[in-house]
Amino acid sequence: MAALFSERMSLIVQKYGGTSVGDPSRIMNVAKRVIATQEAGNQVVVVVSAMSGVTDGLIKLAREVSSAPTEREMDVLLATGEQTTIALTAMAINALGKKAVSLTGAQAGIITDGVHTKAKIANITPKQIHGFLDEDCIVIVAGFQGQTMSGQITTLGRGGSDLTAIAIAAAVKADICQIYTDVEGVFTCDPRVVPHARKIAEISYDEMLEMASSGSKVMQSRSVEFAKKFKVPFEVRSSFSNNPGTIVKEETMSMENVVIRGVSIERNQAKVTITNVPDKPGIAAKIFNTIAGANIIIDMIVQNVSVAGTTDISFTLNKDELPKAKAALDSLVKEIGAQGVIAQDGIAKLSVVGIGMRSHSGVAAKLFDALSAGGINIQMISTSEIKIAVVIDEAKIADAAKLAHDAFGLGEKG
Ligand code: ADP
Ligand code: ASP
Ligand code: MG
């Protein structure tokens, strides 16, 4: 009988973020929503984050005992945040009279590479998930964590529970993947920065990916990349209402009619400039191999026109990575015969994103006009097919976001 029924049921993966499981009453709210989903005739796999503030608290604790904890031990520590939530969520569901079981990332069959604190998922064998679903259990999986082939605990980078949810949805061939968070969906800009930003009904993977990777942290960018690769459509919606959210899916024809889908901002950026770099083949490769070798993720790169055989090379990166980058570059600078390294923080990045940019001109001019009207100086510019990004003074970033948002009419009813 069970097998007959399961053929007609939908399999739904729901992910609840940190705020949605932020205290016991919110965990009860999640438990009730999950039970309602099951009672509507579905099988449910739930992915949960650590309770809000817990991961940050654990990082702070680590710093109090060591200035440079190993990344392996950081993963052992950070994975405990999600482990607390899975147990509490399963207990809450049990207390409401339903069957639920919690699984760590490892128990859920999530195998990753060995790059601690930003591991990539290599494969998922969801044997235990299917086993418990077949027993009519609601399965609660710890987000953000996995294990290596040799059994070491790993984590998937900040915001990594989104990736767990999308990857599990792909692995179990879920019918629906829902990402529940503390806003009603993906907005034209972070609603905490631009209060009149509007909810986007549908967005393409590429636009979501560009927005996420340029600072719209409503989705972890690696999770969107994964969803695009494995064609997993998903919905971002609120755990505090029943309103429809934002559907993220493959591009459709009509999506190109909108020139700019949204504006992203990213604070806490820094700029590194290597001065008087000899302008000859192989030097840039040396610099960026050194940076890559230190596992530092960089963003924009600008090389000036060379004067008298030397040039300046600048790149941006997260402010937290600055000490690591400086340490990696200090000895290299002498080796390649450059003059020195200048590090500057207090900058931020603003990006406008939209696939309509491919077929519309004048987007850059409009953005630069809007910023200049607000007296905002542009320090660096970069473009992709569907994005224009600028680096500006961090103190002006919220004003810049409002100016760009309004210049492209994003707050108006569409
Ligand atoms: P969760 O804990 O559920 O994963 P996050 O804090 O990671 O939630 O992401 C949700 C937050 O993302 C929102 O509270 C909002 O401030 C922020 N955000 C940034 N950009 C956007 C955007 N374009 N649309 C919606 N939310 C955004
Ligand atoms: N708890 C992890 C973090 O805060 C993962 C997540 O919430 O998605 O980054
Ligand atoms: Mg998140």
Side-chain angles (χ1 to χ4, degrees):
M1 270 312 271
L4 268 181
F5 267 116
S6 68
E7 274 169 24
R8 284 198 300 274
M9 280 178 197
S10 283
L11 173 50
I12 303 187
V13 173
Q14 298 187 331
K15 178 253 171 177
Y16 291 90
T19 313
S20 305
V21 292
D23 61 36
S25 72
R26 287 187 172 170
I27 292 179
M28 289 309 292
N29 170 53
V30 167
K32 286 180 194 147
R33 295 181 74 106
V34 170
I35 289 172
T37 309
Q38 189 195 43
E39 283 179 343
N42 306 298
Q43 292 186 310
V44 198
V45 178
V46 182
V47 173
V48 286
S49 290
M51 295 163 78
S52 61
V54 165
T55 308
D56 287 339
L58 291 169
I59 293 171
K60 197 162 157 267
L61 267 179
R63 293 215 177 107
E64 281 170 27
V65 297
S66 164
S67 60
T70 67
E71 293 189 323
R72 181 192 183 281
E73 299 312 326
M74 280 309 285
D75 278 352
V76 174
L77 179 69
L78 296 189
T80 63
E82 272 67 14
Q83 208 163 319
T84 304
T85 327
I86 50 169
L88 291 174
T89 308
M91 287 174 194
I93 294 171
N94 291 337
L96 293 170
K98 294 286 172 184
K99 288 204 282 185
V101 64
S102 64
L103 297 176
T104 63
Q107 289 174 316
I110 300 174
I111 300 292
T112 71
D113 65 17
V115 184
H116 284 291
T117 76
K118 37 189 132 165
K120 284 203 170 72
I121 295 179
N123 64 67
I124 301 183
T125 314
K127 222 173 110 196
Q128 290 212 46
I129 296 182
H130 284 303
F132 284 115
L133 286 175
D134 288 345
E135 290 171 21
D136 292 329
C137 278
I138 295 168
V139 180
I140 319 292
V141 178
F144 177 56
Q145 54 172 265
Q147 72 170 349
T148 64
M149 288 286 277
S150 67
Q152 310 302 311
I153 296 174
T154 51
T155 64
L156 309 175
R158 295 308 304 267
S161 300
D162 294 334
L163 177 57
T164 305
I166 306 263
I168 294 239
V172 301
K173 301 192 172 58
D175 299 287
I176 298 173
C177 178
Q178 298 170 322
I179 308 290
Y180 284 92
T181 183
D182 57 4
V183 283
E184 296 264 320
V186 180
F187 282 67
T188 48
C189 190
D190 186 341
R192 292 178 215 285
V193 178
V194 177
H196 56 285
R198 297 183 57 242
K199 181 166 77 187
I200 300 168
E202 284 186 353
I203 184 169
S204 69
Y205 291 129
D206 284 335
E207 289 169 323
M208 188 70 247
L209 186 55
E210 286 280 20
M211 282 184 71
S213 57
S214 59
S216 295
K217 69 165 192 130
V218 60
M219 283 300 296
Q220 187 213 31
S221 63
R222 284 174 53 194
S223 71
V224 184
E225 226 171 306
F226 194 102
K228 181 184 170 186
K229 189 163 166 196
F230 294 97
K231 297 189 168 42
V232 183
F234 61 93
E235 183 182 11
V236 180
R237 52 188 293 165
S238 168
S239 65
F240 302 110
S241 79
N242 287 318
N243 299 331
T246 301
I247 306 284
V248 187
K249 59 175 197 177
E250 279 189 82
E251 186 178 327
T252 58
M253 290 279 279
S254 64
M255 284 181 179
E256 279 224 10
N257 298 338
V258 177
V259 184
I260 297 301
R261 185 79 52 198
V263 176
S264 296
I265 63 166
E266 194 155 23
R267 295 188 164 94
N268 288 323
Q269 299 298 289
K271 182 163 77 176
V272 171
T273 303
I274 309 169
T275 53
N276 286 336
V277 180
D279 189 15
K280 46 182 198 214
I283 299 287
K286 258 202 176 130
I287 293 172
F288 291 103
N289 272 317
T290 303
I291 294 292
N295 260 321
I296 297 166
I297 295 169
I298 57 156
D299 186 14
M300 286 188 203
I301 303 174
V302 171
Q303 176 173 323
N304 281 345
V305 177
S306 105
V307 178
T310 67
T311 180
D312 293 346
I313 295 182
S314 299
F315 61 89
T316 63
L317 71 175
N318 198 290
K319 192 172 87 181
D320 299 341
E321 305 260 66
L322 206 48
K324 239 187 351 178
K326 274 208 75 181
L329 287 173
D330 273 342
S331 58
L332 182 80
V333 162
K334 291 186 199 89
E335 190 189 318
I336 60 175
Q339 186 183 34
V341 180
I342 303 169
Q344 180 203 342
D345 56 13
I347 57 171
K349 187 174 70 167
L350 175 137
S351 310
V352 296
V353 173
I355 51 177
M357 231 184 257
R358 294 186 197 131
S359 49
H360 292 76
S361 59
V363 177
K366 197 179 238 184
L367 174 64
F368 302 160
D369 271 347
L371 296 176
S372 90
I376 294 167
N377 186 43
I378 300 170
Q379 300 182 23
M380 285 166 101
I381 301 170
S382 87
T383 59
S384 80
E385 200 191 9
I386 64 164
K387 178 176 83 178
I388 299 175
V390 295
V391 168
I392 62 168
D393 178 2
E394 190 167 13
K396 303 226 165 108
I397 193 69
D399 288 344
K402 290 186 193 102
L403 287 166
H405 193 265
D406 292 347
F408 291 101
L410 293 175
E412 291 156 20
K413 280 211 155 46

